[in-house]
């Protein structure tokens, strides 16, 4: 009960600030990309709005793989990928990552991470939540509790998009292989998507500087990766570790000693390379069944003095 009260208090406190295609025609459906890509892709980007006429319209930014760039194998390349707005999606179906931003933030502010995931072979769909994004007219901290449902609304929309003749993303979304990820309030949002009865298509989660919501980590067991700075002044690391302890299945906790609420998500800052590598390895393992990535993850995540990893992942 003490941990539950702490988490409830922190959802309110956290809520004090965190912020910062090939078009389908009559052609055969592109095959699923069964093996994790061994070369980096260039990256395309497009935007759309889910339920534009509803009380909660959901603008979404999508980053996706386009034709291979020809650079050396780099599943977690530290260099920024080339981004080509509106470029055709690369051949094949790619796993999907739903990425949730923090309070007073926007999807594009997380592009250093999301574009690199797209370059590694994932479609990353990032909603701008109606009442917590940077430009929200009626900003409401407590609306975080409604955001897990927005995440699921986006998943259902993507399932329809994948089957919609003529949509640039149609036939390219492996909608049976989805992960959720998010930072700060977006991390709580991610945890809140793993509730009792959630669809098994949601296979994995990454919680960055966040924790659990009421009812989190129920339903089908899914691997979870937690990332947290030990000196986080917004969401204390203890909240993330409490969520890690509650996770019923395979899980890992990547800590960055002395770091705060997310500077490790900025290229060039200590820990960015390790966080990028660990999260990419985790996504490759959970969504591509890339066992080599699973075995690589502890080494890729480790840098003495910068990161520590606690793990209940299989070996």
């Amino acid at each position: 009960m003490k941990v539950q009260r702490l988490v409830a208090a922190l959802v309110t406190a956290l809520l004090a600030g965190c912020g910062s295609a090939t078009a389908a025609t009559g052609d055969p459906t592109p095959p699923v990309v069964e093996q994790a890509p061994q070369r980096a892709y260039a990256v395309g980007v497009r935007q759309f709005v889910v339920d534009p006429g509803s009380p909660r319209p959901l603008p979404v930014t999508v980053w996706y793989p386009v034709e291979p760039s020809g650079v050396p194998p780099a599943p977690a390349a530290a260099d920024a990928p080339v981004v080509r707005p509106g470029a055709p999606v690369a051949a094949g179906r790619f796993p999907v990552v739903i990425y949730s931003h923090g309070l007073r933030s926007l999807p594009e502010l997380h592009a250093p991470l999301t574009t690199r995931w797209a370059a590694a072979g994932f479609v990353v769909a990032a909603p701008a939540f109606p009442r917590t994004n940077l430009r929200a007219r009626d900003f409401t901290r407590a609306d975080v509790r409604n955001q897990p449902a927005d995440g699921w609304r986006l998943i259902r929309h993507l399932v329809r998009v994948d089957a919609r003749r003529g949509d640039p993303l149609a036939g390219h979304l492996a909608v049976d292989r989805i992960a959720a990820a998010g930072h700060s309030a977006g991390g709580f949002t991610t945890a809140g998507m793993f509730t009792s009865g959630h669809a098994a298509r949601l296979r994995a989660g990454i919680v960055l500087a966040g924790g659990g919501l009421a009812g989190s980590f129920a339903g089908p067991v899914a691997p979870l990766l937690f990332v947290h700075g030990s000196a986080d002044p917004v969401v204390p690391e203890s909240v993330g570790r409490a969520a890690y302890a509650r996770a019923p299945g395979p899980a890992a906790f990547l800590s960055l000693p002395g770091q705060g609420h997310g500077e490790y998500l900025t290229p060039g800052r200590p820990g960015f390379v390790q966080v990028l590598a660990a999260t990419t390895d985790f996504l490759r393992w959970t969504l591509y069944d890339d066992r080599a990535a699973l075995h690589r993850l502890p080494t890729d995540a480790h840098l003495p003095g910068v990161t520590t990893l606690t793990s209940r992942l299989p070996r």
Side-chain angles (χ1 to χ4, degrees):
M1 291 300 293
K2 186 179 295 183
V3 168
Q4 291 175 336
R5 287 195 298 270
L6 174 61
V7 171
L10 272 164
V11 169
T12 301
L14 129 98
L15 301 175
C18 54
S20 222
T22 301
T25 61
D27 296 334
T29 300
V32 173
V33 179
E34 295 287 357
Q35 300 297 321
Q38 297 304 307
R39 287 186 173 271
Y41 289 90
V43 174
V45 61
R46 65 177 294 230
Q47 296 176 315
F48 56 79
V49 179
V50 178
D51 300 332
S54 76
R56 291 182 69 85
L58 201 62
V60 178
T61 301
V62 181
W63 294 274
Y64 53 87
V66 303
E67 71 278 5
S69 63
V71 300
D79 292 338
V82 175
V83 178
R84 302 173 182 171
V89 186
R93 287 181 181 267
F94 299 93
V96 176
V97 181
I98 306 298
Y99 189 88
S100 298
H101 63 75
L103 295 180
R104 299 193 187 278
S105 189
L106 291 168
E108 55 264 37
L109 299 181
H110 298 266
L113 186 62
T114 55
T115 56
R116 287 166 170 83
W117 286 348
F122 303 92
V123 173
V124 184
F129 293 110
R131 303 185 72 180
T132 64
N133 78 76
L134 181 62
R135 303 188 183 111
R137 294 182 179 179
D138 54 349
F139 179 84
T140 307
R141 294 180 176 89
D143 197 56
V144 170
R145 64 175 58 94
N146 297 316
Q147 292 179 177
D150 290 331
W152 278 106
R153 186 157 51 104
L154 174 55
I155 288 175
R156 291 191 294 271
H157 180 82
L158 292 174
V159 171
R160 294 192 296 270
V161 164
D162 188 60
R164 182 181 298 157
R165 184 180 296 273
D167 191 286
L169 293 171
H172 293 286
L173 306 176
V175 292
D176 61 333
R177 293 183 284 154
I178 298 176
H183 173 250
S184 192
F188 284 86
T189 299
T190 295
M193 294 177 68
F194 291 88
T195 53
S196 180
H198 75 78
R201 69 173 76 243
L202 184 59
R203 294 192 177 189
I206 299 175
V207 177
L208 306 164
L213 289 177
S216 296
F217 314 132
V221 171
L224 296 165
L225 173 63
F226 297 83
V227 179
H228 223 112
S230 71
D232 191 327
V234 179
V235 183
E237 187 184 48
S238 59
V239 173
R241 288 196 178 274
Y244 168 69
R246 286 175 51 203
F253 194 97
L254 179 61
S255 176
L256 294 101
Q259 294 212 39
H261 195 53
E263 55 267 38
Y264 46 84
L265 300 179
T266 301
R269 298 294 293 271
F272 175 79
V273 170
Q274 288 70 41
V275 170
L276 172 62
T279 55
T280 306
D281 286 343
F282 181 79
L283 292 171
R284 287 170 66 93
W285 166 52
T286 55
L287 300 186
Y288 278 111
D289 196 25
D290 182 352
R291 303 291 293 186
L294 170 63
H295 297 149
R296 252 191 339 264
L297 193 156
T299 300
D300 287 349
H302 181 64
L303 182 62
V306 176
T307 63
T308 63
L309 182 72
T310 305
S311 178
R312 303 197 309 266
L313 299 178
R315 297 187 178 184

